[in-house]
Amino acid sequence: MQIALSNKPPKESLELSFITHMPANSKLFKMLEKAGFNLKEGTTYLDVHHNILYVASRSLCSEDLKISAAKAIQSIQKSSFMTLFIALEQYQDQLDVAALAEGLILGDYYFSQYKHESQKHQERKLFIDYSGSMHTKHHLEEILHEVDMICRNVNLVRDIVNTPPQDYYPYIMALDAKYFAKRDGLECKILGEHLMQEMGMHALLSVGRASVHESQLIHLTYRSENPKVKIVLLGKGLTYDSGGLSLKSSDSMVSMKCDKAGGSAVLGVMCTLKALGLECEVHGIIGAVENMIGGNAYKPDDVLRAKNGMTIEVKNTDAEGRLVLADCLCYAQDEIEDFDYIFDFATLTGASIVALGGQTIAVMGHNDTLKEKINTAASQSGELVGFLPYNRYFEHDLDSEIADMVNTASSRSGGAITASLFLDRFIKDENKKKWLHFDMAGPAYSQKAWGYNPYGASGAGVRLIVQFLKNIAQKSL
């Protein structure tokens, strides 16, 4: 979706009209009622005689507008209409232009890379008639530029996560990181297995041992001239997860290309920073690994030694993401000094979906004030977060009789929390209050469309963290 400003509607374009209420005696009400149109959110009606696409919206508030805009664009994806316009004057400046653009861009996404040419997705254009708006053209252009940059990188993440594992493996993720670094002026460091072996990152290396694809540690860095905050973002980059020798069922293995969503979200954030000119220093660290089976695969009963020397008894090779993140957390704290925050992102547990549903990121950590800042950024960005509490009764569920810890608790109850507590053991005491864990197993990938998110990858996490960084840079929190 390309969005531009105009002072008049282009020829042969389709007008987009949002309906939040209809006076019962109005001519419009009678016409739409006769056509079967109702005010249920996302209902659309195409008036081909007047070239108007009507869409029902609960209100013109941000999230309602995003969803309705997405439903509108999706309703004409198979039509011949390629150009739309909307007049701000019609809404007396009550229309949230940023939400409108975000809903349209994210709603227009369709992953067609593997489709036959005749089924390729064609990008539409929207012209916003600003002639009757109180806002200046320059102000609206700034809004649209920011939204476009963020949404394009959300869609980039969707593309990466949706790409099948035969075409997207750790080396390809590292190549992408190098490309983005060169394009966006980022520093880029890639560690292969030899260097990670020298650094003692045996937990991460064990997970990828049976794959034909070499594991990669990716470290991207963005520095503005006057950074107001220094943050470390870590992502689980399991380009495919078979479960290892604790093999997943055949049904559960379908969609496991999505296990790179955490690492992909970190890539998406890093690609956005320069375009928005955010005043911060951000380190993006991704453990890119493939968890496969083979004669040299790591096994239940193995004892692994992480980078910090802690030993881990393997109870389940499908609890692999936390092993990758453990070494990434150790690397980050050893290599990066004086950071303000350290966040990790992972499609880590199905238990987070059971706890909070399929649309919500589960957030855990020790700092309630920091959680409030994330909650504020979530409300502003439109992403959903929920907070799961730690308690003393889970702490010993990860103890091992023969090692420092096990990689998964014996009980399935509180699985998202115990997984987070495993990671907590790799956070140094001085960094406990700086750290949050984001379990994005629910919203990162879905087998059905929801809101303005399509089937498949949603690009979860990008808008949330970009908004958090904007808030910090603007000192609005």
Side-chain angles (χ1 to χ4, degrees):
M1 169 65 69
Q2 298 178 22
I3 302 178
L5 297 174
S6 173
N7 55 13
K8 61 180 180 180
K11 294 180 180 179
E12 299 180 359
S13 59
L14 181 66
E15 181 181 356
L16 187 56
S17 180
F18 293 93
I19 305 297
T20 58
H21 66 281
M22 293 187 294
N25 296 323
S26 69
K27 186 177 180 180
L28 176 62
F29 171 80
K30 294 176 181 178
M31 186 271 288
L32 292 177
E33 184 182 45
K34 187 176 180 180
F37 182 87
N38 59 59
L39 287 176
K40 182 180 178 182
E41 183 178 57
T43 299
T44 59
Y45 170 65
L46 178 59
D47 181 353
V48 294
H49 299 293
H50 300 94
N51 275 8
I52 302 176
L53 176 62
Y54 294 98
V55 57
S57 184
R58 289 184 183 179
S59 72
L60 295 182
C61 294
S62 179
E63 286 304 296
D64 293 339
L65 186 58
K66 289 178 194 177
I67 292 172
S68 298
K71 298 300 182 185
I73 199 69
Q74 289 162 5
S75 73
I76 60 167
Q77 278 185 339
K78 295 182 180 180
S79 75
S80 60
F81 290 102
M82 301 304 297
T83 306
L84 299 87
F85 89 94
I86 187 165
L88 296 184
E89 185 178 25
Q90 179 182 345
Y91 301 93
Q92 299 177 332
D93 274 331
Q94 296 180 36
L95 194 70
D96 185 336
V97 174
L100 169 69
E102 192 170 320
L104 289 169
I105 296 171
L106 296 181
D108 195 37
Y109 176 86
Y110 179 69
F111 186 67
S112 60
Q113 184 177 334
Y114 293 84
K115 292 286 190 179
H116 189 271
E117 284 298 322
S118 62
Q119 295 178 291
K120 291 288 187 182
H121 183 58
Q122 293 181 298
E123 194 172 44
R124 288 171 169 77
K125 295 181 180 179
L126 173 76
F127 292 92
I128 298 177
D129 182 355
Y130 67 94
S131 57
S133 174
M134 293 170 56
H135 299 294
T136 66
K137 183 181 181 183
H138 177 69
H139 176 68
L140 293 172
E141 284 175 338
E142 287 184 330
I143 292 173
L144 292 176
H145 171 74
E146 181 173 303
V147 172
D148 185 61
M149 288 299 102
I150 295 171
C151 290
R152 286 190 182 279
N153 284 305
V154 171
N155 286 341
L156 167 68
V157 173
R158 289 171 168 180
D159 282 344
I160 292 173
V161 176
N162 283 328
T163 302
Q166 85 268 19
D167 289 335
Y168 208 91
Y169 40 90
Y171 178 70
I172 302 300
M173 198 168 218
L175 283 182
D176 268 356
K178 290 179 180 178
Y179 170 77
F180 298 143
K182 185 176 181 180
R183 184 192 68 183
D184 298 330
L186 309 174
E187 298 173 24
C188 181
K189 183 190 299 183
I190 306 293
L191 277 64
E193 290 183 349
H194 178 70
L195 283 173
M196 284 189 278
Q197 187 75 32
E198 289 184 350
M199 298 179 79
M201 302 177 72
H202 303 297
L204 182 154
L205 289 170
S206 295
V207 175
R209 202 163 66 197
S211 173
V212 297
H213 300 297
E214 182 178 351
S215 299
Q216 308 279 311
L217 183 81
I218 300 164
H219 183 173
L220 293 169
T221 306
Y222 165 82
R223 290 185 177 91
S224 67
E225 289 187 8
N226 299 297
K228 290 185 169 62
V229 64
K230 185 175 183 179
I231 183 170
V232 182
L233 307 175
L234 300 103
K236 172 186 173 184
L238 264 290
T239 58
Y240 187 73
D241 178 23
S242 68
L245 292 180
S246 303
L247 194 66
K248 294 179 183 288
S249 67
S250 57
D251 288 344
S252 295
M253 269 193 271
V254 176
S255 79
M256 275 299 102
K257 62 184 181 181
C258 81
D259 225 14
K260 57 183 178 291
S264 303
V266 171
L267 280 178
V269 172
M270 298 303 296
C271 289
T272 309
L273 302 173
K274 184 179 180 181
L276 299 187
L278 294 181
E279 294 185 332
C280 53
E281 179 178 329
V282 184
H283 294 262
I285 296 169
I286 302 163
V289 185
E290 187 178 60
N291 186 22
M292 297 296 288
I293 59 174
N296 64 335
Y298 82 118
K299 304 170 288 295
D301 282 345
D302 280 352
V303 175
L304 313 178
R305 189 177 297 277
K307 186 179 186 298
N308 66 352
M310 299 282 280
T311 55
I312 307 161
E313 180 187 1
V314 177
K315 291 291 188 179
N316 188 322
T317 64
D318 195 22
E320 84 302 326
R322 63 199 71 180
L323 300 176
V324 172
L325 286 175
D327 270 342
C328 289
L329 286 166
C330 292
Y331 169 87
Q333 294 169 96
D334 290 343
E335 299 295 321
I336 304 167
E337 297 179 347
D338 301 324
F339 52 80
D340 299 294
Y341 305 106
I342 180 167
F343 299 161
D344 70 77
F345 301 85
T347 46
L348 206 63
T349 68
S352 68
I353 305 174
V354 175
L356 295 173
Q359 294 81 36
T360 303
I361 299 173
V363 183
M364 287 152 273
H366 301 283
N367 189 331
D368 290 338
T369 301
L370 184 53
K371 290 177 188 175
E372 280 301 315
K373 292 181 179 181
I374 288 296
N375 195 44
T376 297
S379 298
Q380 293 168 329
S381 69
E383 299 212 50
L384 299 174
V385 298
F387 301 93
L388 298 180
Y390 292 151
N391 68 68
R392 67 175 64 190
Y393 303 106
F394 281 138
E395 290 177 4
H396 298 293
D397 287 356
L398 293 166
D399 291 344
S400 167
E401 294 295 330
I402 65 167
D404 293 321
M405 70 193 82
V406 293
N407 76 323
T408 183
S410 56
S411 172
R412 295 182 64 185
S413 63
I417 298 172
T418 55
S420 182
L421 287 171
F422 175 91
L423 296 177
D424 178 55
R425 296 194 179 195
F426 294 89
I427 302 295
K428 296 178 182 180
D429 289 343
E430 62 267 28
N431 295 326
K432 295 287 188 186
K433 293 289 188 178
K434 301 177 181 180
W435 169 69
L436 287 178
H437 164 61
F438 296 75
D439 190 334
M440 52 201 298
Y445 192 94
S446 178
Q447 299 287 356
K448 61 180 182 179
W450 54 282
Y452 38 86
N453 296 292
Y455 168 92
S458 69
V462 175
R463 293 179 300 141
L464 170 64
I465 297 306
V466 169
Q467 186 63 53
F468 174 81
L469 290 171
K470 284 171 57 182
N471 290 346
I472 293 294
Q474 296 165 3
K475 295 183 178 180
S476 61
L477 286 178

